Amino acid sequence: MGPLLLLFSCWTLVGAQTPLFKLRSVTLTIEPATDLLRDANATLWCRAGVSSSGTLTHVPVYTFYKDGTKVFTKKSASSELAYPLLHVRYSNTGKYKCRVEIDGQGENSDTSKLTVTGVSVPLLQLSRSTLSEGEELTASCSAPDETGAFFFYFYVDGREMQDQPARSNRADAQLRFNGGGVRQVHCDYTVMLAPGSTKSNKSNTVTVSVRELSFRPLLEIRPVAEVFEGDQLSVSCRPEGNSNIPGGLLLLLTHGTQLLGSGVDHVNSSITAKESGEIECSFEVGNVPKKATKNISVIELFSVPRLSVSLAEVFAGDRMVLTCSSAVLVARRLTSEDISYALDSKGPPTTELGAGRFSVRAPPHPLSYTCTATARGITKHSQALLVRPKVSVVRPSITVVEQVILGRPFQIRCLSEGGSLPINYTLFRKYEPLNVTTVSTPYQQALFTATIQESDDIKLYMCEAANKPNNEGELSPRLNASVIVPLSNATLTALPAPWDVSEGDALILICGVTGTPPVTFKWYRKDGGAQLLFAGTANGRSMAHRIHAVSRDHSGSYYCEAVNHARNPVRSQTVLIEVRLALWKKGMIAASCLLVLCVAALLCVLHFKSRRGKKEVTTELSVRSIEQ
């Protein structure tokens, strides 16, 4: 027990000597400001807020970060630490933060952004200032005192010639000069810093003198005035001056992208003038290209032909005329008879009508046509003419949209399954036109409204579809559709007759109408209100309802109603049914009456006889009394 107590006392003593602390906050400030000009001095202060019960035994570690990358670390017993930035540059621009760690506890500051504006003026140096055409010099561009990632740009006479990336503040470029004269060279640079960049001002300008080679190409073209299409041009190309090149010079003569000829020391060519453009004579000495150019202006002899069709609307199979013509020609050089025309087509055979006119039957599908005009060895092609033939209508069908009810309006649909839009539809009755409608879109319908008073009138209607101007269309068959005749003349018939119905009989109520079946019948009995007895549908014009073994309770008023697809209910007349007694009941009543009469008669006879007997006894007694 003693050693344990001693150990506890020692531990308590040691624990009492270790101070307690809490790292409460870390702040970062940038002085003198967060926006600075180049060459200014900046100080980043990292301050730690610590609560402690005594003197700290561990030294805080301060770490500074720029854009997430560690840039400086130091231990300091102070509650703050400075990170100086002397003569700041654009590359110092970024987001900074610091972190403080003390004995396992760590805390980050908020992020602060430092922005540095301005970069140094670039400095350009050249390895030489005088050289001959085709030679190279070294240009060095530097960004004094700048750091970071760079792009350097080199310019000759204001035109960018090269760009060089660099990790240091200097880049070199090899510049070659073609053509003699005085050239102005300068440079600038861009400092790359994510997510942006900044560009420097223009550097100093250095003048370079370039000595031109003593020889150049000579280009001659004849004739030089008023060149028309089809004219022959004589072109020569040769070097001018003393070249003294071993083996001679290889000359190239070109017209646009066409190589007219090549040769050593000279090139001669004869060409047919077809279009205006630039003719070039060139050669190359070492790495120096030399060229001479001349523009030739060729006067158009005749214009590009235009192809047209005679019909505004072309239908498949119709005969059409295609005309190919050049609107402009030079009269003093050419007549209309000098131009020949040809039609290019992969469609049906064509018939030439003369003077650029061609007759052809329109194909059943879209087809492109082109034509050519040829004169004096010059051939010109027209733009493509796309002919989209229309399709004639086919015989239309005529139908009704919904049910046809006699005496009510209904709709008639006319439809041609084939034919180009727009299509004109005409409704006829007895071959007399009633109405016209035009269908212009694929989902549009040709609908007409009509009314008939007789069932057979439905067959008087036809329609016509037409999509050709000034041409008859296709006539449909006659309209064939079922006609619903509304119901009328509803009657209720009772079997047996209403006055001859006896108890126990079967009563049959027959409801009949005039109109188109199927018909739905309903039977009612008036019993303070309408009491539905039975309902049913028949494909005929009448239907019966049977009541088996009627009783006196079945006496009353009856009627029926009927309705068909015309949905106009009709009602019959009211029939009064009086159910009489059954015959056997009548016999029983009669027999009962006879029995009652017989009994009454018998009683009367007995009564009479009894009175008569008493009277005779009394008389006899009276007689005897008298006799006595």
Side-chain angles (χ1 to χ4, degrees):
M1 185 68 180
L4 291 176
L5 182 60
L6 179 61
L7 180 62
F8 176 75
S9 299
C10 293
W11 177 83
T12 303
L13 182 61
V14 173
Q17 293 176 349
T18 303
L20 299 177
F21 71 92
K22 172 65 177 175
L23 181 59
R24 292 182 290 103
S25 64
V26 175
T27 60
L28 176 70
T29 58
I30 300 176
E31 296 179 357
T34 57
D35 293 326
L36 298 175
L37 294 177
R38 180 180 181 273
D39 280 332
N41 294 328
T43 303
L44 279 64
W45 287 97
C46 186
R47 296 181 174 91
V50 180
S51 298
S52 174
S53 62
T55 304
L56 295 176
T57 59
H58 293 82
V59 179
V61 178
Y62 292 84
T63 304
F64 291 84
Y65 295 87
K66 175 181 179 290
D67 296 327
T69 302
K70 184 190 300 185
V71 293
F72 181 73
T73 300
K74 185 177 181 180
K75 290 183 178 182
S76 175
S78 174
S79 62
E80 62 181 12
L81 182 68
Y83 172 45
L85 295 176
L86 303 178
H87 306 293
V88 293
R89 297 291 184 259
Y90 176 76
S91 58
N92 293 125
T93 298
K95 295 180 179 179
Y96 291 85
K97 69 177 180 178
C98 69
R99 178 177 177 83
V100 178
E101 294 182 345
I102 307 175
D103 192 23
Q105 294 187 33
E107 187 75 25
N108 293 329
S109 70
D110 291 335
T111 300
S112 296
K113 184 176 182 180
L114 173 64
T115 301
V116 179
T117 303
V119 293
S120 62
V121 176
L123 176 63
L124 175 65
Q125 293 178 326
L126 301 182
S127 61
R128 54 200 297 195
S129 60
T130 302
L131 70 165
S132 298
E133 186 179 7
E135 294 180 342
E136 289 184 346
L137 59 78
T138 301
S140 298
C141 188
S142 61
D145 300 326
E146 296 294 337
T147 60
F150 299 85
F151 258 97
F152 289 90
Y153 304 91
F154 297 87
Y155 302 84
V156 175
D157 294 336
R159 185 165 62 94
E160 182 182 323
M161 302 299 294
Q162 286 192 38
D163 61 81
Q164 294 284 347
R167 300 300 300 177
S168 66
N169 63 347
R170 177 189 174 99
D172 296 335
Q174 300 299 314
L175 302 181
R176 182 189 302 274
F177 297 86
N178 295 321
V182 177
R183 306 296 174 85
Q184 304 292 326
V185 182
H186 76 274
C187 70
D188 58 26
Y189 65 89
T190 297
V191 183
M192 311 302 296
L193 188 65
S197 63
T198 187
K199 193 164 186 177
S200 72
N201 291 327
K202 177 181 174 181
S203 73
N204 57 305
T205 300
V206 180
T207 300
V208 177
S209 297
V210 181
R211 294 187 297 272
E212 189 176 5
L213 296 179
S214 61
F215 52 92
R216 60 182 179 273
L218 178 63
L219 177 64
E220 295 180 342
I221 303 175
R222 294 184 180 84
V224 294
E226 204 173 46
V227 178
F228 289 90
E229 288 178 319
D231 289 351
Q232 292 297 310
L233 297 179
S234 177
V235 183
S236 67
C237 173
R238 59 184 175 82
E240 183 182 28
N242 184 18
S243 59
N244 296 323
I245 301 298
L249 289 173
L250 177 63
L251 291 94
L252 300 178
L253 185 62
T254 58
H255 181 202
T257 59
Q258 181 183 6
L259 178 64
L260 301 179
S262 63
V264 177
D265 291 337
H266 71 276
V267 179
N268 295 321
S269 179
S270 177
I271 62 174
T272 300
K274 294 183 178 180
E275 58 184 357
S276 300
E278 186 179 75
I279 296 180
E280 178 182 287
C281 172
S282 64
F283 59 80
E284 188 170 313
V285 179
N287 293 323
V288 181
K290 304 293 288 184
K291 66 178 181 179
T293 60
K294 286 186 178 181
N295 282 310
I296 59 170
S297 180
V298 179
I299 302 173
E300 190 176 54
L301 198 59
F302 59 95
S303 61
V304 174
R306 179 179 178 273
L307 186 61
S308 60
V309 63
S310 59
L311 301 176
E313 291 185 336
V314 179
F315 284 82
D318 288 356
R319 181 66 67 173
M320 61 180 179
V321 176
L322 299 177
T323 302
C324 182
S325 61
S326 294
V328 179
L329 57 88
V330 179
R332 67 178 184 273
R333 288 288 193 99
L334 199 67
T335 65
S336 58
E337 289 77 12
D338 295 329
I339 305 178
S340 62
Y341 297 97
L343 184 67
D344 300 328
S345 169
K346 296 181 180 180
T350 60
T351 301
E352 187 172 358
L353 303 178
R357 300 173 68 248
F358 304 88
S359 176
V360 60
R361 194 171 297 279
H365 51 77
L367 187 64
S368 292
Y369 294 87
T370 59
C371 72
T372 58
T374 303
R376 302 286 180 87
I378 304 297
T379 299
K380 297 184 179 182
H381 299 268
S382 72
Q383 291 186 346
L385 173 66
L386 179 60
V387 177
R388 298 180 181 271
K390 289 191 172 184
V391 179
S392 301
V393 296
V394 298
R395 190 181 190 189
S397 61
I398 184 170
T399 56
V400 295
V401 177
E402 295 179 348
Q403 295 174 330
V404 181
I405 299 175
L406 198 67
R408 298 183 190 176
F410 63 95
Q411 283 192 318
I412 299 175
R413 179 191 293 114
C414 190
L415 175 63
S416 175
E417 294 290 348
S420 301
L421 298 176
I423 300 176
N424 295 320
Y425 291 93
T426 305
L427 181 67
F428 290 88
R429 177 187 169 98
K430 293 182 180 180
Y431 294 100
E432 292 293 329
L434 298 180
N435 199 0
V436 179
T437 186
T438 301
V439 172
S440 302
T441 62
Y443 301 104
Q444 189 180 355
Q445 297 187 71
L447 300 176
F448 304 92
T449 301
T451 305
I452 58 174
Q453 303 300 328
E454 298 292 338
S455 298
D456 290 341
D457 290 350
I458 195 73
K459 299 180 180 179
L460 300 178
Y461 290 93
M462 295 181 294
C463 73
E464 181 188 69
N467 62 353
K468 288 185 177 182
N470 303 322
N471 196 355
E472 292 184 0
E474 295 290 334
L475 195 63
S476 74
R478 293 183 180 274
L479 179 60
N480 185 14
S482 299
V483 179
I484 298 174
V485 179
L487 299 182
S488 60
N489 303 325
T491 58
L492 181 64
T493 304
L495 295 177
W499 59 84
D500 195 20
V501 181
S502 300
E503 287 182 311
D505 290 348
L507 177 60
I508 301 175
L509 300 175
I510 302 173
C511 190
V513 293
T514 301
T516 301
V519 182
T520 299
F521 295 93
K522 295 181 180 180
W523 286 264
Y524 295 90
R525 177 185 177 186
K526 289 184 178 180
D527 187 10
Q531 178 186 356
L532 177 62
L533 301 178
F534 179 74
T537 301
N539 288 323
R541 295 179 178 83
S542 63
M543 190 176 182
H545 171 52
R546 179 186 293 270
I547 302 176
H548 301 279
V550 297
S551 64
R552 296 291 296 277
D553 292 338
H554 288 94
S555 297
S557 299
Y558 293 81
Y559 69 92
C560 71
E561 288 184 351
V563 65
N564 65 356
H565 290 307
R567 301 188 183 280
N568 59 323
V570 293
R571 180 173 172 176
S572 72
Q573 83 285 6
T574 301
V575 176
L576 180 62
I577 303 296
E578 183 66 37
V579 181
R580 298 185 300 176
L581 290 174
L583 291 177
W584 64 273
K585 287 186 177 181
K586 293 180 181 179
M588 287 183 63
I589 293 174
S592 298
C593 292
L594 290 176
L595 180 58
V596 170
L597 291 175
C598 290
V599 172
L602 180 59
L603 291 176
C604 290
V605 171
L606 292 177
H607 177 68
F608 176 75
K609 286 185 178 181
S610 64
R611 290 187 61 184
R612 183 177 178 181
K614 289 182 179 181
K615 186 176 181 181
E616 287 180 354
V617 172
T618 302
T619 302
E620 186 177 352
L621 291 176
S622 299
V623 171
R624 286 181 180 179
S625 298
I626 295 174
E627 287 178 354
Q628 293 178 358

